Amino acid sequence: MLLSTKKSDVLQYKGCNFFKQRLVLSVLSGKSINITEIRSKSEDEPGLKEFEVSLIRLFDKLTNGTIIELNETGTSLFFQPGLLVGGKIQHDCSLQRGLGYYLEALFMIGCFCKQPLNVTLQGVTCTNVDPSVDLMKTSMISTLKKFILDDEELDLKVTKRGMRPLGGGEVVFKCPIRKQLRPVQILDNGMVKRIRGTAYALRVSPAMANRMVEKAKGVLLNFIPDVYISTDHCKGKQSGKSPGFGMHLYAETTNGVIYSSEQISNLVSQGEEPSIPEDLGVAAAQRLLYEIYLGGITDSTSQSLAILNMALGPKDVSKIVLGPLTEYTIGFLRNLREFFGVTFKIENYENEEDQGGTGSKKVLLTCVGIGYTNISKRTI
């Protein structure tokens, strides 16, 4: 467990755990952070990784007046955030991580910029390490829409796909600015009414996508008849620089809740076992069924985004029901308390109308928002 102490108005941390979370909350709260002993015991590669430096550079582009101090070995970082500006930005991301790693941060800060976000990210769109851009498009956009009104300007467009290790993908993320979020009280996730998805094949035979679709539908049609999975065989520049294939699935409920899953082929060039399309399709379908089983008003990928928007909302009570909290979400709750002093009431949730076999145990999260306001957003 990492310890943090407040000293001279600078939050002190040790180690690299929850690095992105702390940068995001630092920018939103305006509080400086000092992180020491970043992989200091690693003999091969001490200090910050390339993808972490790339994230810092992205925040530097999004803000004005940010002060960044990094020692020679990269094991100590001082970060003093500036004014969150936003606007039109283009950023080449590290190929070590997927674009989803960077997009999560943009989803969290986008509404509070001075200018609407129009960010073009280039790199790896699909990876087993981070959520893919397809999953971000369904899961996080549906979650963010619950907290903002007039969401027509919120969009994530995949212009090029790119697999590891060479990438070549590109996405455009647009996010409107808002003066304030709205409180939510959502307890019922509803019943699954349809399942949609996409199977894509990059620089490999189009038959790969069809083979994935056949097996995935073979699993899902046992539970619901409304299943449609499209195929996307990218050509030329739209297919990136590396071969691979994958599948993204999502289920929509009667109350507009989205559950997402995905599976992506292994990297044979780096010694991993070659993926079989049929196995990958079955795994994607089973993962989606598991997300539905976990339940809640959002899937496990977007738990932190929902919690952040509850904490930053108006000074009113917000309540949501989630499935079992991930370790990432638990760490986020601790960091929220450090930066904003917000604590949540967490209790087991049982709906009296539910009968047995309705999924895993749920938790009810309740908090009073801090009334966070975008001071750059003018009111008419």
Side-chain angles (χ1 to χ4, degrees):
M1 178 178 177
L2 300 179
L3 301 177
S4 63
T5 57
K6 201 170 183 180
K7 182 179 179 182
S8 301
D9 296 327
V10 178
L11 288 170
Q12 305 287 334
Y13 293 98
K14 292 183 180 180
C16 60
N17 281 4
F18 308 116
F19 180 79
K20 178 174 61 176
Q21 292 183 8
R22 290 165 180 166
L23 283 183
V24 168
L25 295 175
S26 173
V27 170
L28 289 173
S29 66
K31 294 182 179 179
S32 302
I33 57 175
N34 187 43
I35 306 177
T36 58
E37 299 182 21
I38 302 173
R39 300 186 183 90
S40 56
K41 296 182 180 179
S42 175
E43 297 180 358
D44 299 329
E45 296 181 358
L48 291 175
K49 300 283 188 181
E50 179 187 328
F51 65 89
E52 293 166 330
V53 174
S54 180
L55 181 64
I56 295 173
R57 288 174 179 162
L58 177 60
F59 277 118
D60 192 33
K61 292 179 180 179
L62 291 166
T63 57
N64 185 14
T66 295
I67 298 174
I68 302 166
E69 296 177 4
L70 190 64
N71 67 353
E72 293 181 358
T73 59
T75 57
S76 178
L77 169 70
F78 173 77
F79 183 85
Q80 181 178 316
L83 178 66
L84 193 53
V85 178
K88 190 172 183 178
I89 294 169
Q90 183 168 338
H91 186 68
D92 292 331
C93 301
S94 168
L95 299 179
Q96 292 180 343
R97 300 293 291 263
L99 294 182
Y101 176 79
Y102 305 89
L103 280 170
E104 183 187 16
L106 296 180
F107 271 101
M108 289 183 170
I109 67 175
C111 293
F112 303 105
C113 293
K114 185 177 181 179
Q115 303 171 9
L117 276 185
N118 185 352
V119 181
T120 301
L121 298 179
Q122 296 174 328
V124 179
T125 57
C126 317
T127 170
N128 289 317
V129 181
D130 301 291
S132 71
V133 294
D134 299 280
L135 194 145
M136 288 282 177
K137 186 173 182 177
T138 54
S139 175
M140 288 207 163
I141 283 186
S142 68
T143 300
L144 189 55
K145 283 182 177 180
K146 293 177 173 62
F147 295 89
I148 63 175
L149 294 169
D150 187 22
D151 49 38
E152 293 181 358
E153 302 170 26
L154 181 63
D155 184 44
L156 177 61
K157 184 178 181 181
V158 184
T159 55
K160 299 177 185 177
R161 292 187 181 274
M163 306 284 287
R164 289 193 303 164
L166 301 179
E170 182 180 275
V171 299
V172 179
F173 175 64
K174 295 181 180 180
C175 183
I177 55 175
R178 293 291 177 264
K179 183 174 179 61
Q180 213 171 23
L181 301 172
R182 61 178 176 181
V184 299
Q185 295 193 12
I186 310 174
L187 306 183
D188 185 12
N189 54 288
M191 303 292 289
V192 174
K193 63 179 181 180
R194 59 171 167 250
I195 293 176
R196 298 290 183 266
T198 303
Y200 49 87
L202 312 181
R203 297 187 177 274
V204 295
S205 170
M208 296 290 193
N210 296 327
R211 289 162 63 183
M212 287 186 288
V213 170
E214 183 181 357
K215 286 297 182 180
K217 290 180 69 173
V219 175
L220 298 173
L221 287 172
N222 292 322
F223 302 94
I224 186 172
D226 192 355
V227 179
Y228 180 76
I229 306 173
S230 61
T231 58
D232 182 9
H233 184 247
C234 303
K235 298 180 180 179
K237 294 181 179 180
Q238 277 69 40
S239 62
K241 300 178 181 179
S242 297
F245 52 91
M247 172 174 280
H248 165 252
L249 299 172
Y250 68 94
E252 184 179 350
T253 73
T254 51
N255 289 347
V257 174
I258 300 290
Y259 300 116
S260 300
S261 74
E262 63 185 356
Q263 287 293 127
I264 298 164
S265 60
N266 292 332
L267 277 171
V268 180
S269 60
Q270 296 188 7
E272 297 180 3
E273 288 290 330
S275 299
I276 300 174
E278 287 81 0
D279 293 345
L280 195 145
V282 171
Q286 290 177 340
R287 177 64 200 185
L288 179 64
L289 296 175
Y290 182 64
E291 284 289 346
I292 296 171
Y293 167 80
L294 294 178
I297 63 101
T298 182
D299 57 27
S300 55
T301 304
S302 300
Q303 287 181 352
S304 299
L305 179 63
I307 287 171
L308 174 66
N309 290 336
M310 288 176 64
L312 299 184
K315 295 181 180 180
D316 198 353
V317 176
S318 288
K319 293 182 179 181
I320 63 170
V321 172
L322 296 177
L325 301 181
T326 64
E327 291 184 11
Y328 186 82
T329 303
I330 294 171
F332 193 79
L333 286 167
R334 291 170 177 163
N335 284 315
L336 261 180
R337 183 182 58 188
E338 290 284 342
F339 283 89
F340 289 102
V342 178
T343 55
F344 283 72
K345 181 182 179 183
I346 304 176
E347 53 191 330
N348 292 327
Y349 176 76
E350 292 183 5
N351 190 341
E352 296 180 356
E353 298 178 358
D354 285 347
Q355 300 177 353
T358 55
S360 68
K361 294 182 178 179
K362 313 290 192 298
V363 291
L364 173 64
L365 286 87
T366 308
C367 86
V368 177
I370 63 172
Y372 189 88
T373 303
N374 184 354
I375 58 176
S376 301
K377 172 69 173 174
R378 294 182 179 179
T379 55
I380 301 176

